[in-house]
Amino acid sequence: MSLLFPALTAVFLSTIVIEMGRPSVLGTVIGVLFVAVSVSGLTLVGAPSWVSQVFNGAALLVAVGMASIG
């Protein structure tokens, strides 16, 4: 259950990476890499554990907002 939110964020990010509004496998891979590198970076910087969930939520909101615009 804890991996569902980052996975959903990565899939929605895939809809804005290559072609707006259309998910793709390459876009999903890029979304997964973006989420993983960002959360790992936050952990390495020493951010509290709740910051990664806030980041995933903000990225999800941006992805859904951009997908609905395009």
Side-chain angles (χ1 to χ4, degrees):
M1 205 55 185
S2 65
L3 297 177
L4 183 63
F5 197 56
L8 187 62
T9 302
V11 170
F12 272 107
L13 283 173
S14 75
T15 63
I16 64 171
V17 172
I18 296 177
E19 188 176 341
M20 192 66 89
R22 298 194 65 188
S24 65
V25 174
L26 181 61
T28 302
V29 170
I30 293 170
V32 167
L33 288 174
F34 174 74
V35 169
V37 168
S38 299
V39 170
S40 294
L42 289 170
T43 303
L44 287 173
V45 171
S49 61
W50 58 268
V51 174
S52 65
Q53 294 297 322
V54 171
F55 172 79
N56 284 331
L60 182 61
L61 287 174
V62 168
V64 170
M66 293 291 290
S68 66
I69 289 172

